Amino acid sequence: MIRCSKCQYINPTKCSPIKQICFVHSKCNRKKPKSKIISVPEVNKFIVECLRKLNVKDDKACILAKSLVKADYQGILSHGLNRLEHYIIDIKNKNCNPNADPKIISESASAAAVCGNNGLGAVIGVFCINIAIEKACKTGIAMVVAIGSNHFGVNSFYTEHAVSQGCIGMAFTNTSPLMVPTGAKKACFGTNPMSIAAPAGRCDRVVIDFATTSVSLGKIEMYRRRNQKIPIGWALDKHGKPTTDPAVAVKARRLSPLGGTASHKGTGLAIMVEILSGLLANSTYGPNVRVWGQKPFKPANLGHGFIVINPRRFISGFEKRLGDLLEHVRKLEPADPKRPMLVPGDMERARMKKVDEQGGIEYTNSHLKMIQRLVQDLGVKPPKFKS
Amino acid sequence: MIRCSKCQYINPTKCSPIKQICFVHSKCNRKKPKSKIISVPEVNKFIVECLRKLNVKDDKACILAKSLVKADYQGILSHGLNRLEHYIIDIKNKNCNPNADPKIISESASAAAVCGNNGLGAVIGVFCINIAIEKACKTGIAMVVAIGSNHFGVNSFYTEHAVSQGCIGMAFTNTSPLMVPTGAKKACFGTNPMSIAAPAGRCDRVVIDFATTSVSLGKIEMYRRRNQKIPIGWALDKHGKPTTDPAVAVKARRLSPLGGTASHKGTGLAIMVEILSGLLANSTYGPNVRVWGQKPFKPANLGHGFIVINPRRFISGFEKRLGDLLEHVRKLEPADPKRPMLVPGDMERARMKKVDEQGGIEYTNSHLKMIQRLVQDLGVKPPKFKS
């Protein structure tokens, strides 16, 4: 459990076990980048307007916008507006058919397979999770898999939707090869993220959502920009050897599985995600998935899997029990008194509260430049800034 | 990805990133402990005979024996015959009713909740997984949870059974508090193991099975016996601070979640396992679970969860696709040419092959002493030794 020496935040940026310091604190000494606040409805409107210019139908554009804005609202800026240009490139290059409707291709009482017809990942994901919720409400548990899909954003977008219906949601997706299985030299799996979220009564919930690599490539890129070493156990060099040089790691694109000294468990989790998404769905899988944005452009044909459990079909009182457990964890004595305990999802809720308080999402200079590019390229109106 | 410098085996016993050395190689220089080989049927017979002396009915005794012997057969000696004395103590102290029959207490098309009536965990587990398989074959996916259970052995015992029926099996169980969630000082969750296994055609399969802590307490005990330091990220001391002293760690009983620098993901996995076992089942959960073998003795009331997916209800060809992916992983160039790539479950199959070749399971001196104690205490015949 390596934590920031200043605030006990996990994932410190320096790998020294003595003088480790986290992302937040390492930023304290840095010049704050230029940023502007945009209200949530304004960001949403801007994304929809961009997509309209590409002839994306409103129902589809609204779903994609909602998924991207929610990520930003929760502070997951790597998966929000930041990704809009990638989606637009896919649409422009006809790698994705944004107006395609997903279709059920096989179905039973608690299972369905959906063909996404190379549509927008978020549209396909919402279609699938809704079927899974409907079936689980009848039978207790249901699973829906999707073939022919594209990047679907943040997994918790779907699992939280299941929670809003009183269910436990699980979401899995394969992604482009980046993870080197334990003992190998080359990447064979994606970061293969997974999420589970569950309702805990009285508006409480737990939302677990993570990649099955130790860290994302984006995080290593941040280290490179700051010229800081990365810890052993995050990535390999082009020869498949562990590296502490973020520049080498970014170039090699070979991430290590979650687990540190027990990375075989992270490898196992990546295989599990592949089973529950690409392999069951018959999409591309493992090393066959294309790298996003790399030539030659071709459809992603990603696979997703969604499992929904209806706790009311088991023993009553599930939400109360989970709420009790979450409260117990929050009340545990923290290792650092200044860092009260949180459960997964609390941090995102705190960020949403902050967005509400400040009247919008704070976007940095790189976002603002991207907005400017889109305004020029697509001829859309820029969003109104709050500051 | 820290590996043994001699053989590239994961989980090296020395924490130095330079001169790390694995369990197997650190043993090379040690005097080999006295050991004897006992054939699989002989171990099975011995366990059944011991249980008969405690008036355990044959059907129940055979299931427990099968689960323990299978663990030993696969080289998971910590969860096999080694555990028999614990089960016997529970039976003698009436903490467990070994002849209790599990009963379904609620049921729908794809879900069931089972009360184990404080019976043997393995008996309850087999009862549940069979119901889940039967339901999944009809509906595509099914989940069965159990309340009022006891330690059920190795999770993969159940998931491999699902595989034998052509299904994907998942098994989850809560356990006694040992894991300290990221940022806390005291244990709140068990090692909360999980397993997923899936058929890959032509007798191939993948069997993923691991605790959601970085390591087990048993592994740290091994380090203590060898007077070797443990890496940071495995355990905490009694004040909730990371420790490298295995003696301090064993005494404190505070394991760190899986993940190393990303241990919040391991915490999330432990919560996921708790949701899918104790919380859905309404058994004891989290910090409320009793410590096994500690006074005052009381029923464990553990919770388990089993999910079975019938891949034939999705898109045909699942086994072929998984088989293809597993073969791809096995053929990846290894970081060390002397250590060919394996997929989860391969090592256990190699150990089973070795047992078959040598005509039985190799038990060490501590096992042999335990057998002697049971022979004297229960008046059973000792098993026949092969060597």
Side-chain angles (χ1 to χ4, degrees):
Chain A
M1 201 178 303
I2 301 174
R3 304 176 75 88
C4 170
S5 57
K6 292 199 176 184
C7 69
Q8 289 294 306
Y9 189 79
I10 45 164
N11 292 339
T13 59
K14 289 186 180 172
C15 55
S16 152
I18 311 295
K19 288 198 175 179
Q20 61 206 17
I21 189 165
C22 80
F23 169 52
V24 175
H25 279 93
S26 68
K27 274 177 81 177
C28 294
N29 303 326
R30 297 169 67 83
K31 193 181 164 189
K32 202 174 176 188
K34 184 182 158 191
S35 67
K36 287 194 177 181
I37 287 173
I38 312 175
S39 74
V40 170
E42 269 296 306
V43 188
N44 197 84
K45 193 176 135 196
F46 177 72
I47 297 173
V48 171
E49 285 299 326
C50 288
L51 294 168
R52 271 187 190 142
K53 289 283 181 182
L54 297 160
N55 299 317
V56 181
K57 288 182 186 165
D58 269 14
D59 58 334
K60 313 279 192 296
C62 286
I63 291 173
L64 177 55
K66 192 177 169 187
S67 80
L68 298 180
V69 174
K70 188 164 185 191
D72 284 346
Y73 190 18
Q74 296 186 328
I76 312 164
L77 294 171
S78 56
H79 282 63
L81 179 62
N82 186 49
R83 286 272 168 91
L84 182 58
E85 268 189 327
H86 291 276
Y87 291 106
I88 287 175
I89 290 168
D90 269 354
I91 294 168
K92 280 185 170 176
N93 288 325
K94 299 194 190 307
N95 287 324
C96 167
N97 176 4
N99 290 323
D101 285 309
K103 293 275 187 309
I104 294 174
I105 50 177
S106 83
E107 193 173 15
S108 58
S110 297
V114 165
C115 179
N117 292 316
N118 196 27
L120 293 171
V123 171
I124 297 161
V126 168
F127 183 79
C128 291
I129 195 80
N130 279 330
I131 297 168
I133 292 167
E134 193 183 331
K135 287 181 181 290
C137 285
K138 289 179 191 161
T139 65
I141 184 172
M143 180 169 196
V144 178
V145 297
I147 181 179
S149 189
N150 285 285
H151 195 281
F152 77 177
V154 177
N155 293 42
S156 62
F157 181 64
Y158 311 98
T159 58
E160 287 199 76
H161 180 57
V163 170
S164 73
Q165 306 300 306
C167 292
I168 299 166
M170 299 172 82
F172 311 90
T173 185
N174 61 12
T175 59
S176 311
L178 264 180
M179 175 200 283
V180 180
T182 305
K185 295 168 81 171
K186 282 189 182 169
C188 168
F189 295 103
T191 57
N192 286 16
M194 57 181 283
S195 171
I196 176 170
R202 297 184 185 185
C203 301
D204 199 6
R205 60 182 60 182
V206 63
V207 185
I208 299 156
D209 187 350
F210 59 81
T212 53
T213 45
S214 276
V215 290
S216 65
L217 197 63
K219 187 160 189 165
I220 297 176
E221 270 173 356
M222 285 198 315
Y223 276 60
R224 183 173 57 83
R225 284 199 292 273
R226 291 196 222 112
N227 208 20
Q228 288 175 338
K229 282 190 175 179
I230 56 170
I232 284 283
W234 280 18
L236 307 179
D237 65 16
K238 66 177 182 179
H239 306 292
K241 303 275 181 198
T243 183
T244 58
D245 185 334
V248 168
V250 167
K251 197 171 177 191
R253 296 176 65 88
R254 297 176 193 205
L255 300 180
S256 297
L258 168 68
T261 54
S263 68
H264 60 294
K265 299 185 183 186
T267 302
L269 282 170
I271 297 173
M272 179 183 88
V273 171
E274 197 65 74
I275 287 170
L276 299 175
S277 56
L279 291 169
L280 268 175
N282 191 27
S283 70
T284 54
Y285 53 85
N288 310 321
V289 181
R290 65 88 184 88
V291 177
W292 205 12
Q294 264 195 10
K295 290 181 181 176
F297 295 125
K298 56 180 180 175
N301 188 14
L302 296 185
H304 316 310
F306 305 88
I307 296 175
V308 173
I309 299 163
N310 175 7
R312 296 176 293 279
R313 289 286 185 179
F314 293 88
I315 310 292
S316 65
F318 167 79
E319 294 195 13
K320 191 176 175 302
R321 293 190 291 278
L322 176 56
D324 171 62
L325 181 65
L326 298 183
E327 276 307 292
H328 179 91
V329 174
R330 290 186 183 112
K331 286 176 181 166
L332 282 173
E333 188 185 357
D336 179 347
K338 292 174 199 157
R339 301 281 299 178
M341 289 294 296
L342 300 174
V343 300
D346 282 358
M347 194 179 282
E348 288 73 17
R349 285 203 287 186
R351 289 172 183 154
M352 287 164 78
K353 196 177 163 206
K354 190 182 166 194
V355 167
D356 291 342
E357 285 166 359
Q358 69 191 13
I361 299 160
E362 188 176 351
Y363 286 108
T364 62
N365 204 29
S366 68
H367 285 99
L368 302 177
K369 281 183 181 169
M370 192 197 75
I371 289 172
Q372 196 52 40
R373 282 196 300 275
L374 291 172
V375 166
Q376 286 174 352
D377 288 356
L378 301 174
V380 291
K381 280 187 187 173
K384 289 176 195 157
F385 301 111
K386 277 206 60 123
S387 60
Chain B
M1 200 178 302
I2 301 174
R3 306 177 73 90
C4 172
S5 56
K6 291 198 174 184
C7 68
Q8 289 294 307
Y9 188 79
I10 46 167
N11 293 338
T13 59
K14 289 185 182 172
C15 53
S16 152
I18 311 296
K19 289 199 173 180
Q20 62 206 18
I21 188 165
C22 81
F23 169 46
V24 175
H25 280 94
S26 68
K27 273 177 79 176
C28 295
N29 303 325
R30 299 168 67 84
K31 193 180 166 189
K32 202 176 175 188
K34 185 182 160 190
S35 67
K36 286 192 176 181
I37 287 171
I38 311 175
S39 75
V40 169
E42 269 296 306
V43 189
N44 198 83
K45 193 175 136 198
F46 176 73
I47 296 173
V48 170
E49 285 299 325
C50 288
L51 294 169
R52 270 188 189 141
K53 288 284 181 182
L54 296 160
N55 299 315
V56 181
K57 288 180 185 168
D58 269 14
D59 58 334
K60 314 279 191 296
C62 286
I63 291 173
L64 178 54
K66 192 177 169 188
S67 80
L68 298 180
V69 174
K70 187 161 187 195
D72 284 347
Y73 190 19
Q74 296 187 327
I76 313 163
L77 293 172
S78 56
H79 281 63
L81 179 62
N82 185 50
R83 285 273 167 93
L84 182 58
E85 268 188 327
H86 290 277
Y87 291 105
I88 287 174
I89 289 168
D90 268 355
I91 295 169
K92 279 184 171 177
N93 287 325
K94 300 195 188 306
N95 287 324
C96 166
N97 176 4
N99 290 323
D101 286 310
K103 293 273 188 307
I104 294 173
I105 50 176
S106 82
E107 193 174 15
S108 57
S110 296
V114 165
C115 179
N117 292 314
N118 197 27
L120 293 170
V123 171
I124 297 161
V126 168
F127 183 79
C128 291
I129 196 80
N130 279 330
I131 297 169
I133 292 167
E134 194 184 330
K135 286 181 181 290
C137 285
K138 289 177 192 162
T139 66
I141 184 171
M143 179 170 197
V144 179
V145 297
I147 182 178
S149 188
N150 285 284
H151 196 280
F152 77 175
V154 177
N155 292 43
S156 62
F157 182 65
Y158 311 97
T159 58
E160 287 200 77
H161 180 56
V163 170
S164 73
Q165 304 301 305
C167 293
I168 300 166
M170 300 172 82
F172 310 90
T173 184
N174 61 12
T175 59
S176 311
L178 264 179
M179 175 202 281
V180 180
T182 305
K185 296 168 84 174
K186 283 188 182 169
C188 167
F189 295 103
T191 57
N192 287 15
M194 57 181 284
S195 171
I196 176 168
R202 298 184 184 184
C203 300
D204 197 6
R205 59 182 60 185
V206 64
V207 185
I208 299 156
D209 187 351
F210 59 81
T212 52
T213 46
S214 275
V215 290
S216 66
L217 198 62
K219 186 157 193 170
I220 297 177
E221 270 172 357
M222 286 198 315
Y223 276 60
R224 183 173 57 84
R225 283 199 293 275
R226 292 196 222 112
N227 208 18
Q228 288 175 338
K229 281 189 177 180
I230 56 170
I232 284 282
W234 281 18
L236 307 179
D237 65 16
K238 66 177 179 178
H239 305 294
K241 304 274 181 197
T243 182
T244 58
D245 185 334
V248 168
V250 167
K251 200 172 173 191
R253 296 176 64 87
R254 297 176 194 207
L255 301 179
S256 297
L258 169 67
T261 53
S263 68
H264 60 293
K265 300 186 181 185
T267 301
L269 282 170
I271 296 173
M272 179 183 88
V273 171
E274 196 65 73
I275 287 170
L276 299 175
S277 56
L279 290 170
L280 268 176
N282 192 27
S283 69
T284 53
Y285 53 86
N288 311 319
V289 182
R290 66 87 186 89
V291 177
W292 205 12
Q294 263 193 12
K295 288 181 182 176
F297 295 125
K298 56 180 180 176
N301 188 16
L302 296 184
H304 315 312
F306 305 88
I307 296 174
V308 173
I309 299 163
N310 174 8
R312 295 177 295 280
R313 290 283 185 180
F314 293 89
I315 310 291
S316 65
F318 168 78
E319 295 194 13
K320 192 177 174 302
R321 293 190 291 276
L322 177 57
D324 170 62
L325 181 65
L326 298 183
E327 275 308 290
H328 178 91
V329 175
R330 290 184 183 113
K331 286 176 182 167
L332 281 174
E333 186 186 358
D336 179 347
K338 292 174 197 157
R339 302 281 301 178
M341 289 295 294
L342 300 174
V343 300
D346 282 358
M347 194 179 283
E348 289 73 17
R349 286 204 287 189
R351 289 173 184 153
M352 286 165 78
K353 195 177 166 206
K354 189 182 167 194
V355 167
D356 291 343
E357 285 166 0
Q358 69 191 14
I361 299 160
E362 188 175 352
Y363 286 109
T364 62
N365 205 28
S366 68
H367 285 101
L368 302 175
K369 281 182 181 169
M370 192 197 74
I371 289 172
Q372 195 53 39
R373 282 196 299 274
L374 291 173
V375 166
Q376 287 173 352
D377 289 356
L378 301 173
V380 292
K381 279 186 186 174
K384 289 177 194 157
F385 300 112
K386 278 206 62 129
S387 60

